[in-house]
Amino acid sequence: MTDAARVLLVVDMQNDFLPGGSLAVADGDAVVPVINRLAAGFQAVVVTQDWHPAGHISFASSHDGKAPFDMIDLPYGPQVLWPDHCVQGTEGAALAADLDLPHAQLIVRKGHHQHIDSYSAFMEADKATPTGLAGYLRERGLTEIFACGLATDFCVSWSAQDAAKAGFAVTVIEDACRAIDLDGSLEAAWAAMEGAGVKRIQSSALL
Ligand code: VGL
Ligand code: ZN
């Protein structure tokens, strides 16, 4: 595989997932300089943004009597309820100010349907509605995906698994990610990613 086939997929590096944000991932800001260094080595860089309408179905505040991190059943399956986060156009939804990716070519916004969540950058949580990212990457001949960002056990993991299912070669750069780790979700995510054929490396392998 040539370098021209490689793309760095930078997942959800947004203020609400950083310390001080509404759904802060512990130590999430620590990956910003790592991602900036990694991105310098990639011709192709694609960024994702979690991008929910106000009152989104994944917000605990949208469900009477529910609290953040409760689970509910939706028509497409079980859903974790989150604090309100990454509401379209808000400062919380903006990319981390210190992210230095001037050469990034595409920003994929996901989770924008009121009644469907989307951890994955490829397929919404109903497992039926594609985001369009697979087609974009295929048309550009970008077949080898290196994924990083937040959170390892939700949006990075679901994106990596869906990409592998769609036929891409996928590697997650572990130290360029941080996890939410809800009830063992990080360990479960690595097992699921391994099962899907996703590779796991450290950034030192690329830097
Ligand atoms: C994410 C929970 C809810 C993520 C997004 O980016 O991992 N997690 N929405
Ligand atoms: Zn979200």
Side-chain angles (χ1 to χ4, degrees), residues 12-30:
D12 295 4
M13 290 301 301
Q14 293 164 268
N15 292 328
D16 272 341
F17 297 124
L18 299 180
S22 66
L23 181 41
V25 179
D27 211 24
D29 50 341

Side-chain angles (χ1 to χ4, degrees), residues 1-2 4-6 135-144 168:
M1 209 97 52
T2 65
R6 300 187 333 164
Y136 172 88
L137 296 175
R138 280 198 199 105
E139 284 201 0
R140 291 196 56 200
L142 299 167
T143 53
E144 196 178 350
F168 295 92

Side-chain angles (χ1 to χ4, degrees), residues 12 17 23 50 52 82 85 110 117 119 150-151 154-155 180:
D12 295 4
F17 297 124
L23 181 41
D50 211 36
H52 301 309
W82 304 104
H85 65 279
K110 63 185 178 59
D117 203 3
Y119 298 143
L150 304 172
F154 288 91
C155 291
I180 295 174

Side-chain angles (χ1 to χ4, degrees), residues 4 53 94 109:
R109 288 170 165 174

Side-chain angles (χ1 to χ4, degrees), residues 26-196:
D27 211 24
D29 50 341
V31 301
V32 172
V34 182
I35 291 172
N36 290 343
R37 282 201 302 277
L38 284 165
F42 282 79
Q43 286 172 21
V45 178
V46 169
V47 173
T48 72
Q49 272 180 306
D50 211 36
W51 200 251
H52 301 309
H56 189 246
I57 197 157
S58 75
F59 297 170
S61 64
S62 304
H63 304 269
D64 281 343
K66 296 295 179 188
F69 311 107
D70 284 352
M71 297 281 307
I72 56 164
D73 284 312
L74 290 179
Y76 56 77
Q79 170 73 50
V80 182
L81 295 176
W82 304 104
D84 290 21
H85 65 279
C86 297
V87 174
Q88 295 171 359
T90 62
E91 193 49 34
L95 294 171
D98 294 338
L99 208 59
D100 187 22
L101 307 173
H103 61 309
Q105 296 132 8
L106 177 73
I107 298 177
V108 182
R109 288 170 165 174
K110 63 185 178 59
H112 50 78
H113 287 119
Q114 191 78 38
H115 301 290
I116 320 173
D117 203 3
S118 189
Y119 298 143
S120 168
F122 291 86
M123 192 63 89
E124 302 199 23
D126 62 358
K127 297 186 164 52
T129 308
T131 64
L133 180 57
Y136 172 88
L137 296 175
R138 280 198 199 105
E139 284 201 0
R140 291 196 56 200
L142 299 167
T143 53
E144 196 178 350
I145 299 171
F146 290 81
C148 58
L150 304 172
T152 323
D153 43 346
F154 288 91
C155 291
V156 174
S157 172
W158 286 50
S159 297
Q161 291 181 60
D162 279 350
K165 278 181 211 145
F168 295 92
V170 188
T171 303
V172 170
I173 309 165
E174 184 172 14
D175 61 319
C177 302
R178 289 293 185 278
I180 295 174
D181 205 8
L182 213 60
D183 300 325
S185 58
L186 180 58
E187 203 183 315
W190 279 119
M193 286 191 278
E194 192 178 6

